[in-house]
Amino acid sequence: MRRQLAFFAAALCLPLLAFMAYILFNLAIAERERLEARASEAARDLSAAIDRELLGLTSALEVLAVSPQLQAGDIEGFHAKASQVDDRLGFNAVLRTPDGQQLVNLRRPFGSELPRTPQPSDADVLASDEPLILDLFDGPVAGEPLFAVTMPILVDGEPRYILSLAVPATRIRELLLAQQLPESWTVAAIDNNDRIVARSRRHDEFVGEIATDDLRANTAGYFGSWNATTIDGEAVFGTYARSLVSDWRIAIGIMQRELNAPAVRFVQFFVLLGLLALGLSALLASLFARRLALSATGLAAQAHQLADGEPVTPRPSRVREFSEIGAILVAASDRLRGREAELKESEAKFRAIADTMPQMVWSTTPDGLHDYYNARWYEFTGVPVGSTDGEGWNGMFHPDDQPRAWQQWSHSLRTGEPYDIEYRLRHHSGEYRWTLGRALPIRDDEGRIIRWFGTCTDIHETKIAAEEREVVAQELSHRIKNIFSVLGSIVGLTARTRPEAQEFAAELRARILALGTAHEFVRPRALESSVDGHASLHGLLRALLAAYDGDGTHVSISGPDLPIAEGAATPLALVFHELGTNAAKYGGFSGADSRIEITTFADDADYHVTWKEHVAGAAPSAEAASDSGFGSRLIELSIRGQMGGTIERIFEPDGLRVEITIPVWALSRAARLRRGV
């Protein structure tokens, strides 16, 4: 009988222990998920903190850039002013000439001998009209790793200086440590060159090192997580977020053993508890059979309370094991209810944050039905709460914008691509105001979209200001075009009284007209940004060579076209004007049966142009003779010096062939700015 009771007790305990195992294991999993979520949130908070730091540095740089001392060439006066700002903000200002010679370095007294420190990014800085953020580099004067915010200083319209605010990498480490994350977590900031800018642990050992292949391969997006391996070779849970200002990445690693610690403790505890319960049940089965049955009934009632989400009430039992299990169920119930309270508190915090944001925040289900708007939406639109849920949001747009907004939103829902559009949104006053709408999908571990989160930002004043600037740009373009015409006329009038300068004046006037043609192609039409529009390389070639091809049979242009920015149009116009002039004298435009073929193609990084002249009875020696002189030097300077490309002339039996290779970034202002980031 005693053996039967022991078996019965064991059979009764095993299901209860299994149920407890299920509860405790899920609690361990929940604790792991909490730590992972905290790490992901910390990565996003750190990326936002770094963005605020960089924006503050950019603002300080722009204040120094408009210093009247710089415009007047008063370097000592600028040193004094920069020192005052440095005392308040704690950064190091460096002023250099375009060739890299330092004029001011706040780490040295004014008048000290300073080094010449040209940087690979100087060409991009000089070509930019706004501040650029430079990745980590070794400061020659500071003697430590730095990053910088830099921009050109224009004097009389020409880049006279390069102004930088150099900041030690330890500044970023201070931001990482300010989050007060657990010391066992590894937090790192990685720049666009995959170099470690700062690290929460062993910073001095790893700063400037290249991040691991594992990290670089898994941080290509804006945020996410993965099972990672640190640069030390330890297995971790990795999560990251990308800075919107600098494009740097903030990565956080938590040791897998730290995440698995609750589950390990659960297994140890459960094994011990199970052995104890089974041993006591076998030992006391005959004595406590009745009490065991009563205690099991009470324990089952507690389990039902836990399963139904009700508070588990303590139930005293004379069987110690069941009392302990009951206490664990009570504790588990308390923890679950605490978790529910935390979730409710977290939701309340989210709503409080969303409602205090200056933007209108909204979210939708995966199929695009709106189910949440923050308070800013209802304050801006004045509509009743819930009236724009579902598909009612589209009726808030200007009637002319509704088809375009719905088409763009449908495309994003179908493809998963980010939603980005400008439209006019009805204000509670009845006015339609320009608004920037953006949304990103939230995906699960398998890549399925589970929600869309978006914002609407009032950009009405900015939009109106942009339209006013466009009117000013149109007027400025017209005046610049008149200046080119006046210059050509002055050159022509001057040459009439000096016959010996006629040939030089004609060439100079032709080059001025070529510059005028280039300007016509990029201002203001460049703002239309279309490959089929005027601001493209093929369009520029046709306009420049039209004078040599009256009947349209001497020039053919084929291959992909690319848009060109203001900075690229001027050197290109001079280059192809010189080639056309030489072709009229010696090559493809010099005879009725001669012609020129221009072909273009692009690869990942470069744009290639082939200029091929087909000349009946070609005279290679005459063409080769034209390969020297000012025109050829002008071509070399424009392609190699200004645009960072290459040019090669090949004199073939039927005429000259010129191979030109230009980096794609040199043609596009936007691409050149991205290279400086």
Side-chain angles (χ1 to χ4, degrees), residues 142-158:
E144 62 177 321
L146 307 171
F147 67 95
V149 180
T150 183
M151 68 181 296
I153 303 300
L154 303 182
V155 178
D156 296 331
E158 295 294 329

Side-chain angles (χ1 to χ4, degrees), residues 601-617:
F601 73 94
D603 54 28
D604 292 338
D606 297 318
Y607 190 67
H608 304 270
V609 181
T610 299
W611 171 288
K612 174 57 183 167
E613 299 182 12
H614 298 276
V615 185

Side-chain angles (χ1 to χ4, degrees), residues 263-521:
V264 172
R265 289 194 298 268
F266 149 71
V267 171
Q268 295 172 344
F269 172 77
F270 183 75
V271 170
L272 178 63
L273 182 62
L275 292 175
L276 180 62
L278 290 175
L280 289 177
S281 65
L283 180 64
L284 303 174
S286 59
L287 181 63
F288 298 107
R290 180 181 176 84
R291 296 178 181 177
L292 188 64
L294 293 174
S295 298
T297 302
L299 193 63
Q302 288 179 306
H304 283 298
Q305 289 176 328
L306 184 63
D308 294 338
E310 300 175 357
V312 177
T313 57
R315 291 176 177 267
S317 173
R318 296 182 180 180
V319 181
R320 187 182 64 183
E321 290 81 359
F322 281 5
S323 295
E324 292 178 355
I325 295 174
I328 292 173
L329 290 177
V330 172
S333 173
D334 293 341
R335 286 196 295 270
L336 288 175
R337 294 176 67 81
R339 181 64 174 170
E340 292 176 356
E342 289 178 0
L343 291 175
K344 291 180 180 179
E345 182 182 0
S346 176
E347 181 179 358
K349 288 181 178 179
F350 166 76
R351 292 184 177 274
I353 293 172
D355 287 342
T356 55
M357 289 182 62
Q359 287 88 3
M360 295 166 268
V361 180
W362 48 269
S363 68
T364 78
T365 57
D367 55 1
L369 293 179
H370 289 66
D371 58 2
Y372 169 76
Y373 297 93
N374 70 342
R376 288 282 182 259
W377 169 268
Y378 295 109
E379 292 174 4
F380 184 91
T381 60
V383 299
V385 175
S387 62
T388 52
D389 289 351
E391 298 180 358
W393 58 275
N394 199 40
M396 300 300 298
F397 301 155
H398 191 283
D400 294 342
D401 298 338
Q402 289 181 15
R404 179 170 56 88
W406 180 253
Q407 180 182 8
Q408 183 67 25
W409 179 234
S410 300
H411 174 76
S412 296
L413 292 176
R414 185 172 61 257
T415 63
E417 296 178 1
Y419 179 65
D420 194 325
I421 189 173
E422 294 181 0
Y423 45 65
R424 288 163 290 182
L425 184 64
R426 189 171 68 235
H427 190 254
H428 63 77
S429 63
E431 173 192 9
Y432 283 97
R433 296 181 62 84
W434 280 103
T435 306
L436 173 62
R438 287 178 172 170
L440 290 173
I442 305 299
R443 301 178 184 271
D444 59 16
D445 293 339
E446 297 181 0
R448 294 188 297 265
I449 296 176
I450 57 176
R451 289 200 68 77
W452 286 84
F453 280 95
T455 60
C456 299
T457 305
D458 188 346
I459 59 169
H460 192 74
E461 284 73 17
T462 302
K463 189 81 172 179
I464 298 303
E467 293 175 354
E468 294 174 351
R469 287 196 299 271
E470 173 62 15
V471 172
V472 174
Q474 293 278 358
E475 178 63 21
L476 181 60
S477 174
H478 176 71
R479 294 178 181 274
I480 291 175
K481 182 179 177 182
N482 288 342
I483 290 173
F484 281 125
S485 298
V486 170
L487 285 175
S489 299
I490 291 173
V491 171
L493 290 173
T494 304
R496 290 180 184 178
T497 61
R498 297 184 180 180
E500 70 279 4
Q502 288 285 349
E503 182 178 356
F504 169 78
E507 292 182 2
L508 178 59
R509 190 166 183 268
R511 289 181 179 125
I512 292 173
L513 292 177
L515 291 175
T517 301
H519 173 78
E520 180 68 16
F521 268 74

